Amino acid sequence: MVGFRAQPGGGDADLVDHTILVTEAVLNVYAVLLSLESEREEILLMRNDHPVARLVPEPESMDTIGVFGDLHGTLDDETASKMLRGIEIGRSSGNMKQVNKVT
């Protein structure tokens, strides 16, 4: 990580990618956030050799195809058809609020 000293895991940190002291995170908050965003790795904040918080990057946004790819095989045909119809109506009208009106 750039701008501060991240340490590989140890103890509870075995479950995360990097650990840093809370005071170091406070002094370097901008660098910590840049690293979190760019490296997309979890950071464990430590104080007095105890974990106090985890910084976890937000999942990357998904488009409609990505969402439906994850749902494939989990929805029954009727529910999937209603969802698809709602999306089509929303797209054609330019108003995704229309999706809620399809039942």
Side-chain angles (χ1 to χ4, degrees):
M1 295 187 174
V2 177
F4 61 97
R5 293 175 300 147
Q7 301 171 357
D12 285 336
D14 287 338
L15 304 175
V16 297
D17 299 306
H18 300 286
T19 64
I20 61 172
L21 299 175
V22 171
T23 53
E24 193 168 358
V26 169
L27 292 173
N28 299 290
V29 68
Y30 184 73
V32 170
L33 292 176
L34 281 178
S35 177
L36 184 69
E37 185 178 28
S38 65
E39 294 182 26
R40 314 235 11 106
E41 296 178 338
E42 188 173 317
I43 299 170
L44 180 64
L45 301 178
M46 303 286 288
R47 179 183 293 138
N48 299 323
D49 293 326
H50 298 289
V52 295
R54 292 176 192 269
L55 299 177
V56 181
E58 281 291 313
E60 295 185 30
S61 61
M62 293 178 20
D63 59 10
T64 306
I65 293 172
V67 171
F68 272 105
D70 285 348
L71 291 175
H72 178 72
T74 61
L75 299 176
D76 60 79
D77 289 342
E78 181 181 350
T79 303
S81 294
K82 287 180 180 179
M83 285 182 66
L84 185 57
R85 180 71 180 131
I87 290 169
E88 289 170 351
I89 290 171
R91 282 186 175 165
S92 65
S93 70
N95 182 359
M96 289 304 289
K97 290 180 182 178
Q98 294 291 326
V99 172
N100 295 327
K101 295 183 180 181
V102 177
T103 56

